[in-house]
């Protein structure tokens, strides 16, 4: 994958994903082996929209590989504020850095930027469009915690209409065998038909009742209802706490179920669930850094010592 | 019916949906040609009731993409020595470059200049194309 861009999750084949996950597993087992894997490499993190969590995850990944970072996370301080085009900024950064991570509020910006980049460019979120490393994070978490990516019943709950993380997860998991989705949402936030139409291999059902399906799920992926997606404040307030996962509901879950959430959460998972060993969303953040380490190593083409 | 002398050598764009001829004429910039060009409107047709026809007295390079977009049911006849030498059937192009414009207000192409944005056919019946940058669907509505 040397020199490759990552704009959307499907830029990687299932085999390439497996390669990333196997490397991630080796990093988990012996992180010290990789402490200098990216020594002498420079990563540019261009955040045209602040996202502390994502930026830290990438920067921590690069630093843990012994690499260095430059970047900005305040668009007003960047050359974009002076009217420079995205492609000029990217060309300039390519003269300094070995790889680029970019987050930008406009949809499709990552693809446009990649067209001007002769260094690997990783999309760290382009508006409501794609956020592939979140999907890699979700997949690695499932793979490590469940030991497989096949034959799973995956409940997806919350804002299925606007949640790009959820759409990506569904498309990504649809490529594995024996997947059954249970889509849990109110009518107003149902999964759009264009996402359903793309489901090729998996089976799915839709419901409004989280409690009723709790006992069937191997994985429950909770998501936040985002205020910025709503035109009416009233509707947002009515829907935002429609599903709250609490200890009571967890009693109905399988003993080996797994709760995921892309974080940050608001109220949709009550803090009492955090103590439950089946809650894996904080581990998920750790896997997020690990999978970014593996990805950076792959696109930079550094040696993977065994 | 008005009679138009028979073409010896050239192109006939036939079976254009009645009313689309002028749009095709403009979109293909036929007014910029120095060749003889005839636009016939509301020609009686057995199959279509009424149709538009365009005749061009030369073998020019037609932009089949635009043509396919505006009217995928039109046909192109290549005329040699007064006879039809070849018939080209049109299809909706799978990939379109530089003709469509993304309508998604959050799309990067609204903010940064993209010379010839690429779109991919998403739905044949609805003539919907997907922006190659933001993936939003856009419907082709003709070249106004
Ligand atoms: Zn677009």
């Amino acid at each position: 994958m040397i020199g490759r861009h990552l704009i959307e999750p499907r830029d990687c084949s299932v085999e390439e994903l497996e390669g990333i996950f196997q490397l991630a597993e080796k990093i988990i087992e012996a992180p010290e082996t990789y402490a200098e894997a990216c020594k002498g490499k420079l990563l540019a993190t261009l955040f045209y929209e602040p996202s502390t969590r994502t930026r830290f995850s990438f920067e921590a990944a690069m630093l843990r590989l012994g690499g260095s970072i430059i970047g900005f996370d305040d668009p007003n301080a960047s050359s974009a504020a002076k009217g420079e085009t995205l492609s000029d900024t990217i060309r300039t950064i390519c003269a300094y850095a070995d790889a680029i991570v970019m987050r930008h509020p406009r949809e499709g910006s990552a693809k446009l930027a990649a067209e001007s980049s002769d260094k690997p460019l990783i999309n760290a979120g382009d508006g409501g469009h794609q956020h592939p490393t979140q999907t890699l994070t979700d997949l690695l978490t499932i793979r490590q915690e469940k030991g497989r990516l096949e034959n799973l019943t995956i409940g997806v709950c919350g804002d299925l209409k606007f949640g790009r993380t959820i759409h990506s997860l569904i498309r990504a998991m649809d490529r594995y065998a024996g997947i059954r989705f249970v889509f849990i949402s109110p009518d107003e936030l149902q999964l759009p038909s264009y996402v359903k139409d793309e489901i090729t291999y998996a089976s799915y059902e839709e419901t409004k009742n989280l409690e009723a399906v709790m006992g069937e799920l191997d994985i429950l992926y909770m998501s936040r209802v985002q205020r910025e997606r709503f035109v009416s404040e009233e509707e947002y307030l009515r829907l935002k706490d429609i599903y709250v996962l609490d200890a009571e509901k967890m009693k109905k879950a399988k003993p080996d179920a797994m709760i995921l959430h892309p974080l940050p959460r608001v109220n949709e998972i009550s803090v009492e669930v955090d103590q439950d060993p089946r809650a894996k969303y904080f581990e998920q953040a750790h896997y997020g850094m690990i999978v970014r380490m593996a990805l950076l190593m792959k696109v930079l083409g550094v040696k993977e010592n065994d | 019916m008005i009679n138009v002398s028979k073409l010896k050598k050239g192109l006939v764009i036939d079976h254009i949906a009645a009313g689309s001829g002028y749009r095709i004429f403009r979109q293909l910039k036929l007014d910029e040609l120095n060749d003889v060009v005839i636009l016939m409107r509301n020609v009686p047709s057995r199959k279509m009731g009424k149709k538009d026809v365009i005749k061009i007295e030369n073998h020019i390079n037609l932009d089949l993409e635009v043509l396919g977009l505006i009217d995928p049911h039109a046909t192109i006849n290549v005329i040699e020595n007064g006879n039809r030498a070849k018939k080209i059937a049109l299809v909706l192009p799978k990939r379109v470059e530089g003709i469509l414009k993304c309508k998604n207000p959050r799309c990067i192409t609204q903010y940064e200049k993209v010379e010839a944005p690429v779109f991919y056919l998403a739905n044949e019946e609805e003539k919907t194309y997907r922006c190659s940058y933001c993936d939003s669907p856009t419907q082709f509505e003709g070249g106004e």
Side-chain angles (χ1 to χ4, degrees):
Chain A
M1 292 189 65
I2 303 173
R4 282 256 300 273
H5 304 307
L6 181 62
I7 308 303
E8 60 154 306
R10 282 174 296 186
D11 289 344
C12 295
S13 67
V14 171
E15 292 71 29
E16 285 167 341
L17 287 179
E18 187 53 27
I20 294 172
F21 299 149
Q22 281 173 8
L23 178 56
E25 199 171 313
K26 288 198 279 179
I27 297 172
I28 294 166
E29 282 162 10
E32 64 287 351
T33 318
Y34 300 91
E36 299 204 325
C38 286
K39 198 176 171 201
K41 300 285 185 189
L42 185 61
L43 175 70
T45 54
L46 315 183
F47 278 64
Y48 288 90
E49 160 186 85
S51 170
T52 312
R53 190 178 302 273
T54 307
R55 188 170 61 95
F56 279 4
S57 180
F58 272 107
E59 295 186 350
M62 191 58 175
L63 294 171
R64 283 187 178 274
L65 293 168
S68 311
I69 45 172
I70 52 166
F72 60 80
D73 65 353
D74 176 7
N76 299 316
S78 78
S79 41
K82 299 186 193 102
E84 187 176 54
T85 65
L86 187 56
S87 80
D88 281 3
T89 304
I90 298 296
R91 281 200 186 92
T92 311
I93 299 293
C94 281
Y96 312 140
D98 300 296
I100 297 172
V101 168
M102 188 181 91
R103 189 183 184 95
H104 195 288
R106 304 291 171 215
E107 297 172 15
S109 52
K111 183 167 185 285
L112 184 67
E115 288 173 1
S116 304
S117 180
D118 58 6
K119 300 288 167 61
L121 185 141
I122 299 168
N123 180 8
D126 58 342
H129 186 222
Q130 298 282 355
H131 189 9
T133 55
Q134 178 65 54
T135 309
L136 296 193
T137 301
D138 296 340
L139 264 57
L140 179 66
T141 309
I142 294 170
R143 185 184 181 275
Q144 294 307 111
E145 295 290 333
K146 282 300 209 189
R148 66 181 192 275
L149 284 161
E150 296 86 17
N151 303 315
L152 293 164
T153 297
I154 306 172
V156 193
C157 177
D159 176 4
L160 309 190
K161 187 176 178 188
F162 299 110
R164 75 172 163 195
T165 306
I166 282 172
H167 300 170
S168 284
L169 178 74
I170 292 166
R171 289 186 188 115
M173 289 307 298
D174 183 43
R175 304 201 290 188
Y176 296 93
I179 299 298
R180 178 174 159 247
F181 291 112
V182 182
F183 300 133
I184 307 142
S185 74
D187 288 337
E188 297 87 341
L189 296 174
Q190 270 184 10
L191 194 70
S193 55
Y194 67 87
V195 182
K196 276 186 239 167
D197 290 347
E198 280 182 49
I199 298 174
T200 314
Y201 303 106
S203 61
Y204 67 86
E205 62 191 84
E206 296 178 279
T207 177
K208 279 177 240 179
N209 192 339
L210 172 60
E211 259 178 294
V213 294
M214 264 323 267
E216 305 168 22
L217 308 176
D218 298 310
I219 296 164
L220 173 59
Y221 198 101
M222 294 295 292
S223 73
R224 176 168 55 103
V225 175
Q226 289 177 295
R227 170 179 263 129
E228 56 269 31
R229 298 293 181 197
F230 288 87
V231 184
S232 115
E233 178 77 8
E234 209 172 298
E235 183 159 71
Y236 167 70
L237 292 173
R238 186 166 59 81
L239 294 172
K240 73 180 176 84
D241 293 331
I242 190 155
Y243 298 108
V244 177
L245 184 64
D246 54 20
E248 197 55 38
K249 289 199 186 76
M250 282 305 289
K251 283 184 192 159
K252 298 203 164 96
K254 281 188 181 180
D256 64 344
M258 176 166 95
I259 311 300
L260 297 179
H261 190 296
L263 301 180
R265 72 168 147 189
V266 187
N267 296 320
E268 57 278 4
I269 301 180
S270 79
V271 286
E272 64 196 26
V273 179
D274 298 357
Q275 324 304 326
D276 194 304
R278 294 168 290 183
K280 298 291 184 193
Y281 30 91
F282 290 112
E283 281 91 336
Q284 202 176 349
H286 177 67
Y287 288 123
M289 180 189 71
I290 300 285
V291 87
R292 288 174 177 101
M293 289 170 77
L295 176 66
L296 286 168
M297 284 180 67
K298 290 280 185 191
V299 298
L300 286 167
V302 300
K303 205 169 151 269
E304 298 170 28
N305 30 356
D306 293 290
Chain B
M1 186 180 159
I2 309 163
N3 271 313
V4 179
S5 63
K6 217 175 157 201
L7 261 189
K8 289 220 164 52
K9 176 179 185 248
L11 299 169
V12 178
I13 310 172
D14 202 353
H15 304 108
I16 302 170
S20 290
Y22 183 54
R23 214 158 64 172
I24 291 177
F25 188 93
R26 273 185 314 171
Q27 193 87 44
L28 294 175
K29 299 195 171 76
L30 297 181
D31 53 327
E32 291 172 15
L33 289 180
N34 288 319
D35 306 292
V36 177
V37 182
I38 300 151
L39 165 64
M40 296 194 287
R41 306 187 61 208
N42 304 318
V43 179
S45 157
R46 246 182 308 134
K47 261 200 306 189
M48 306 168 67
K50 271 180 186 178
K51 65 177 182 181
D52 290 0
V53 179
I54 293 173
K55 297 188 178 193
I56 306 159
E57 197 184 58
N58 204 344
H59 290 174
I60 60 156
N61 263 333
L62 285 180
D63 188 342
L64 297 178
E65 270 190 7
V66 180
L67 219 48
L69 262 183
I70 301 177
D71 193 347
H73 303 298
T75 53
I76 300 165
N77 297 313
V78 182
I79 311 294
E80 292 281 6
N81 302 319
N83 295 312
R84 189 167 81 189
K86 202 165 80 174
K87 185 176 174 172
I88 305 166
L90 289 172
V91 281
L92 270 182
K94 294 267 181 280
R95 181 181 180 279
V96 171
E97 199 175 327
I99 297 162
L100 299 173
K101 204 179 169 325
C102 187
K103 293 199 180 76
N104 174 8
R106 299 174 305 276
C107 179
I108 188 69
T109 59
Q110 313 280 2
Y111 298 86
E112 299 262 338
K113 202 171 166 187
V114 179
E115 282 305 336
V118 173
F119 285 78
Y120 293 101
L121 184 61
N123 187 315
E124 209 143 345
E125 270 155 50
E126 294 164 14
K127 274 197 189 185
T128 13
Y129 280 81
R130 219 165 258 290
C131 170
S132 68
Y133 292 97
C134 73
D135 292 310
S136 297
T138 290
Q139 231 158 351
F140 180 73
E141 287 158 356
E144 290 317 313

